[in-house]
C-alpha cells in the first residue's frame, strides 16, 4: 500500500487535497470506459503537474498525442518496471505513470510536463503513484466485469444451444435432484407427462430406485398400450447428485418385433402343417395302392389290417384338419359354444375309455382317479369342447412323456368353487419360463420337437375354450412330472348370471 507522506505535503493543502481525492474517486467510479478513467487521472494529475500534452498506451488501445520512438521505448520500460518516472527527452520533461494490477500491466499514461524538477517532491510522486494505483484498480475491475459479462453470455448461449438440441431429440429427458425437484426437462418430456400421472409415477419410481441404489436402471414399461424404454442414470455434479431419466416411445419397434415373430411362427406353421398332413397321407396312399395292386392275393386278415391303418391315418388327418379349423375360427373370433349343464365325470370317463387302447398300444400305464364319494360333477360346459381339451392333454402326455416306464393319470379334484381336471405324466416338466408360452399359438418347446410331431395349436385352443368357460388352465409339477390342470366353475353361470 502506498503511503502518503503527509509531512512532505503542504499542511494547509490537506483539506483541499482530501476533497480532490474524494472527487477523483467519485469520478472514477462513474467512469464507463478505460479512456474515461485515464482522462480522470490526467485531469487530477494537472493539480501537481503542469502538462501540455498527454498520451495513453496499452495493449488494447492508444489515444492522445502520438509518441516518438524514444518516448515510446521509455514508456515500455516504465510499464514493465512498474516505475513512475520523470525523464528529460529532447529538451522537455516527460512523466511516465504506469498502470498495473497485481498480475499484469494495464497501460502507461505519458504526460509532457513543464514543471521545474525541483518542484517535484517525493510526496508528489507518492500521491501520483497512489492515484495511478486507484485508477488501475478501477480499470482492472472494469475489465473483469466485461469478461464476466462475456462469459455469462457464452454460458447462456451454450445453455440455449444444449436446450435446443435436447428439445429436438425424440427422447423425453428430465433431470431431478435428490429432493426430487425437477431441475430440467425438455419439451418432449413435458408433452409426454401432461395428463399422464400414471406414467409419471412409474418413471418416478425408477428415479427413486436410481437414487436409493446409486445405479443405472433400464426398463421397458407399458402404459396405455404404448411401450416406453426408460433409462435412468445417477450423475454426480458439483451441485450434488442428480438423476437423468430418458424415455423413448418404442411401440413401433415392439409392434415390428411382434409382427416378425408372428410371421416366423406362421412360416413354421405352414412347414409343420404340410409335414403333418403329408405323413398320414403318404401312409393312406401307400396302403391303398398295395390293396389295389394285390387285392386278390391278400388274405382277409391282412386286408382288414391295411384298411384299419388307412382308417386310423384318416382319423389323424381329420383331427389335424379339425385343429386347423378350430384355429381359424379362433382367429376370426367365431368359435361357437353349445353350453349346457353336463356331468364332468361322464366326460372324463369317455375320454379315458376312448384313449385306453392307444395307451396300451404304446405301453403306457394309464389310470383314472375319481373321488369315490363323488358320482356327479356338474358344470356349465360345451361337452364336445371339454372332451376335446381332456383328449388333447392326454394325447400330449402320451406324446411327450419321456420316462422309460411312462405313466399317465387323469384325476378330478374339487376346490369348493370349481372342479379341477388334472392330467399327470411322469415325463419331464415344462420349464418355468415356458409355462405361459406353451399356451401361445404355434409354440412348441424346442427340446421336445424331436420327441413328437405337432402343430403347437392344441394348448392354445384348449386355453381359449377353458376361458370361454370362465375357467383357467395351467401347469404344475416338479422336474420329473408334468401336471396340466384346468378348472371349471360349479356355478350355473348361464342361467343365473352374476349380478
Ligand atoms: P398339436 O397342435 O398337434 O397339439 P403340440 O402338441 O406340439 O401340437 P400343444 O399341444 O399346444 O402342441 O403343446 C405345445 C407344446 O407344449 C408341445 O410342443 C410340447 O413341447 C409342450 N408340452 C405339451 N404337453 C406336454 C407334456 N405333457 N409334457 C411336456 N411337454 C409338453
Ligand atoms: Mg398337443
Amino acid at each position: 500500500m502506498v503511503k502518503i507522506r503527509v509531512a512532505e505535503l503542504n499542511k494547509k493543502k490537506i483539506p483541499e487535497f482530501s476533497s480532490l481525492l474524494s472527487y477523483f474517486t467519485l469520478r472514477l467510479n462513474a467512469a464507463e470506459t478505460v479512456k474515461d478513467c485515464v482522462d480522470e487521472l490526467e485531469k487530477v494529475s494537472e493539480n501537481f503537474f503542469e502538462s501540455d500534452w498527454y498520451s495513453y498506451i496499452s495493449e488494447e488501445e492508444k489515444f492522445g498525442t502520438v509518441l516518438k520512438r524514444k518516448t515510446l521505448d521509455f514508456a515500455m520500460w516504465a510499464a514493465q518496471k512498474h516505475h513512475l518516472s520523470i525523464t528529460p527527452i529532447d529538451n522537455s520533461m516527460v512523466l511516465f505513470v504506469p498502470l498495473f494490477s497485481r498480475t499484469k500491466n494495464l497501460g502507461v499514461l505519458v504526460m509532457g510536463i513543464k514543471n521545474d524538477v525541483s518542484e517535484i517532491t517525493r510526496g508528489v510522486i507518492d500521491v501520483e503513484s497512489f492515484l495511478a494505483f486507484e485508477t488501475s484498480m478501477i480499470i482492472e475491475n472494469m475489465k473483469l466485469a466485461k469478461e464476466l459479462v462475456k462469459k455469462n453470455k457464452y454460458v447462456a448461449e451454450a445453455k440455449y444451444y444444449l436446450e435446443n438440441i435436447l428439445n429436438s431429440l425424440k427422447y423425453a429427458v428430465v433431470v431431478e435432484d435428490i429432493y426430487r425437484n425437477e431441475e430440467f426437462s425438455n419439451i418432449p418430456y413435458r408433452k409426454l407427462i401432461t395428463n399422464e400421472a400414471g406414467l409419471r409415477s412409474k418413471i418416478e419410481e425408477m428415479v427413486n430406485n436410481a437414487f436409493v441404489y446409486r445405479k443405472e436402471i433400464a426398463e421397458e414399461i407399458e402404459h396405455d398400450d404404448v411401450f416406453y424404454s426408460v433409462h435412468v442414470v445417477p450423475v454426480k455434479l458439483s451441485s450434488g447428485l442428480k438423476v437423468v431419466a430418458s424415455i423413448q416411445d418404442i411401440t413401433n419397434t415392439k409392434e415390428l418385433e411382434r409382427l416378425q415373430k408372428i410371421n416366423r411362427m406362421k412360416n413354421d406353421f405352414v412347414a409343420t402343417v404340410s409335414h403333418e398332413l403329408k405323413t398320414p397321407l403318404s401312409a393312406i396312399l401307400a396302403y391303398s395302392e398295395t390293396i389295389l395292386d394285390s387285392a386278390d392275393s391278400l388274405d382277409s386278415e391282412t386286408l382288414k389290417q391295411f384298411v384299419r391303418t388307412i382308417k386310423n391315418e384318416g382319423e389323424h388327418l381329420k383331427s389335424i384338419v379339425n385343429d386347423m379349423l378350430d384355429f381359424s375360427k379362433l382367429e376370426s373370433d367365431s368359435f361357437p359354444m353349445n353350453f349346457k349343464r353336463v356331468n364332468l365325470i361322464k366326460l372324463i370317463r369317455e375320454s379315458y375309455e376312448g384313449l385306453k387302447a392307444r395307451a396300451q398300444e404304446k405301453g403306457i400305464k394309464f389310470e383314472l382317479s375319481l373321488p369315490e364319494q363323488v358320482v356327479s360333477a356338474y358344470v356349465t360346459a360345451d361337452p364336445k369342447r371339454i372332451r376335446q381339451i381332456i383328449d388333447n392333454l392326454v394325447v400330449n402326455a402320451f406324446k411327450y412323456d419321456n420316462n422309460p416306464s411312462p405313466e399317465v393319470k387323469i384325476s378330478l379334484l374339487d376346490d369348493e368353487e370349481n372342479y379341477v381336471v388334472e392330467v399327470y405324466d411322469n415325463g419331464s416338466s415344462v420349464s418355468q419360463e415356458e409355462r405361459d408360452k406353451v399356451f401361445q399359438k404355434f409354440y412348441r418347446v424346442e427340446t421336445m420337437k424331436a420327441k413328437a410331431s405337432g402343430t403347437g395349436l392344441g394348448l392354445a385352443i384348449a386355453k381359449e375354450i377353458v376361458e370361454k368357460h370362465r375357467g383357467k388352465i395351467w401347469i404344475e409339477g416338479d422336474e420329473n412330472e408334468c401336471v396340466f390342470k384346468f378348472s371349471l366353475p360349479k356355478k350355473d353361470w348361464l342361467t343365473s348370471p352374476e349380478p
Side-chain angles (χ1 to χ4, degrees):
M1 177 87 181
V2 178
K3 265 191 182 167
I4 302 172
R5 294 182 194 163
V6 182
E8 289 184 32
L9 280 170
N10 181 342
K11 279 194 182 160
K12 279 184 210 153
K13 285 197 174 165
I14 286 179
E16 206 180 298
F17 175 68
S18 43
S19 76
L20 185 78
L21 203 61
S22 36
Y23 178 72
F24 170 65
T25 311
L26 271 177
R27 296 286 303 167
L28 262 190
N29 277 319
E32 281 176 8
T33 61
V34 173
K35 183 164 187 309
D36 290 349
C37 297
V38 174
D39 282 350
E40 287 308 323
L41 177 63
E42 197 277 329
K43 256 186 245 157
V44 77
S45 305
E46 279 181 17
N47 286 291
F48 320 109
F49 302 103
E50 231 180 288
S51 86
D52 51 359
W53 58 266
Y54 88 95
S55 177
Y56 179 73
I57 319 148
S58 75
E59 256 179 40
E60 297 89 17
E61 58 191 321
K62 275 185 196 147
F63 49 81
T65 308
V66 178
L67 298 180
K68 287 184 192 149
R69 180 83 235 161
K70 210 163 157 191
T71 320
L72 205 58
D73 287 345
F74 258 109
M76 292 300 122
W77 176 84
Q80 260 165 24
K81 295 287 170 204
H82 296 178
H83 260 327
L84 189 148
S85 46
I86 300 163
T87 313
I89 298 176
D90 298 338
N91 301 327
S92 58
M93 298 299 274
V94 183
L95 169 70
F96 296 93
V97 186
L99 302 183
F100 53 90
S101 74
R102 219 179 321 156
T103 50
K104 57 179 183 258
N105 300 329
L106 299 173
V108 197
L109 169 68
V110 186
M111 289 167 73
I113 53 172
K114 289 192 258 164
N115 303 55
D116 194 284
V117 186
S118 59
E119 283 174 34
I120 305 167
T121 60
R122 179 74 212 163
V124 166
I125 299 289
D126 285 349
V127 169
E128 183 63 20
S129 298
F130 172 72
L131 296 174
F133 170 75
E134 205 181 345
T135 313
S136 299
M137 271 199 335
I138 299 289
I139 292 178
E140 172 78 349
N141 283 348
M142 214 176 248
K143 282 192 168 173
L144 286 178
K146 237 189 213 164
E147 266 170 36
L148 212 64
V149 168
K150 217 168 159 187
K151 270 191 189 144
N152 281 348
K153 207 176 132 217
Y154 283 145
V155 171
E157 270 171 12
K159 197 169 162 246
Y160 178 73
Y161 175 79
L162 275 178
E163 263 181 27
N164 268 333
I165 289 181
L166 286 165
N167 283 336
S168 68
L169 290 179
K170 275 209 305 201
Y171 286 89
V173 179
V174 63
V175 182
E176 293 197 10
D177 69 11
I178 199 133
Y179 306 107
R180 310 301 187 270
N181 293 321
E182 199 178 295
E183 285 209 336
F184 169 81
S185 64
N186 65 353
I187 295 173
Y189 177 80
R190 296 196 287 273
K191 272 192 197 155
L192 179 73
I193 287 306
T194 320
N195 304 326
E196 288 290 357
L199 177 63
R200 201 194 145 85
S201 72
K202 283 179 190 166
I203 297 170
E204 269 312 296
E205 198 183 314
M206 287 180 68
V207 169
N208 276 342
N209 286 339
F211 271 120
V212 173
Y213 302 111
R214 299 276 198 276
K215 67 168 192 185
E216 191 175 327
I217 305 170
E219 261 175 41
E220 278 178 14
I221 52 183
E222 192 189 344
H223 181 76
D224 280 351
D225 294 332
V226 183
F227 288 91
Y228 299 96
S229 160
V230 184
H231 201 201
V232 290
V233 193
V235 184
K236 246 190 187 153
L237 299 179
S238 54
S239 55
L241 185 69
K242 316 279 153 163
V243 162
V244 182
S246 53
I247 304 116
Q248 193 190 11
D249 181 343
I250 51 159
T251 315
N252 288 343
T253 330
K254 278 263 159 197
E255 188 59 17
L256 194 69
E257 271 173 20
R258 202 178 68 85
L259 291 175
Q260 280 171 342
K261 199 172 158 206
I262 290 180
N263 196 30
R264 256 196 319 272
M265 285 169 119
K266 287 218 161 136
N267 287 344
D268 282 358
F269 175 66
V270 172
T272 318
V273 166
S274 331
H275 175 77
E276 287 287 294
L277 293 174
K278 230 167 111 187
T279 321
L281 258 181
S282 313
I284 290 172
L285 287 175
Y287 279 100
S288 352
E289 262 170 37
T290 318
I291 295 171
L292 277 179
D293 289 350
S294 32
D296 301 335
S297 58
L298 291 173
D299 63 79
S300 71
E301 196 40 51
T302 319
L303 199 64
K304 250 192 201 163
Q305 179 64 38
F306 283 7
V307 176
R308 207 177 292 127
T309 310
I310 291 176
K311 185 175 177 281
N312 284 345
E313 293 300 332
E315 292 286 350
H316 184 42
L317 260 185
K318 194 175 128 191
S319 83
I320 295 174
V321 172
N322 277 344
D323 256 10
M324 284 162 62
L325 281 176
D326 281 350
F327 168 66
S328 72
K329 280 183 204 151
L330 271 178
E331 286 283 272
S332 60
D333 211 15
S334 57
F335 206 68
M337 289 285 167
N338 189 7
F339 292 121
K340 50 181 148 190
R341 290 302 276 176
V342 289
N343 185 359
L344 198 50
I345 292 190
K346 193 172 156 257
L347 296 180
I348 295 174
R349 276 193 202 286
E350 279 173 14
S351 179
Y352 175 73
E353 295 301 330
L355 292 162
K356 219 159 68 176
R358 212 197 282 193
Q360 211 164 11
E361 242 172 62
K362 293 183 160 222
I364 298 169
K365 189 177 164 204
F366 187 33
E367 282 177 36
L368 177 65
S369 156
L370 295 170
E372 265 173 34
Q373 65 279 26
V374 184
V375 280
S376 62
Y378 278 92
V379 288
T380 300
D382 179 334
K384 207 175 122 211
R385 296 300 181 191
I386 296 300
R387 255 299 294 277
Q388 186 183 347
I389 300 176
I390 305 170
D391 285 358
N392 246 319
L393 295 180
V394 174
V395 171
N396 272 354
F398 288 175
K399 281 204 301 190
Y400 301 111
D401 188 343
N402 50 5
N403 195 300
S405 323
E407 286 173 25
V408 174
K409 185 163 80 181
I410 317 178
S411 315
L412 180 71
L413 314 166
D414 182 342
D415 83 354
E416 303 217 339
E417 285 192 10
N418 305 289
Y419 286 112
V420 179
V421 180
E422 179 187 295
V423 177
Y424 157 94
D425 72 69
N426 61 348
S428 45
S429 186
V430 177
S431 70
Q432 288 293 343
E433 304 85 69
E434 295 191 288
R435 287 193 176 182
D436 283 336
K437 291 187 185 157
V438 291
F439 293 103
Q440 292 170 5
K441 291 162 213 150
F442 313 125
Y443 193 88
R444 307 194 70 223
V445 176
E446 206 55 48
T447 49
M448 288 286 182
K449 277 187 182 165
K451 177 92 179 99
S453 60
T455 52
L457 281 176
L459 291 176
I461 295 170
K463 182 169 188 270
E464 198 79 15
I465 297 174
V466 170
E467 282 170 2
K468 283 199 166 29
H469 282 75
R470 305 185 177 195
K472 283 195 190 113
I473 185 164
W474 69 99
I475 304 175
E476 284 180 11
D478 299 333
E479 230 175 279
N480 297 317
E481 56 174 14
C482 194
V483 186
F484 277 83
K485 286 186 175 185
F486 73 90
S487 64
L488 294 173
K490 291 179 183 174
K491 196 174 169 356
D492 183 2
W493 45 266
L494 202 62
T495 52
S496 56
E498 275 157 34

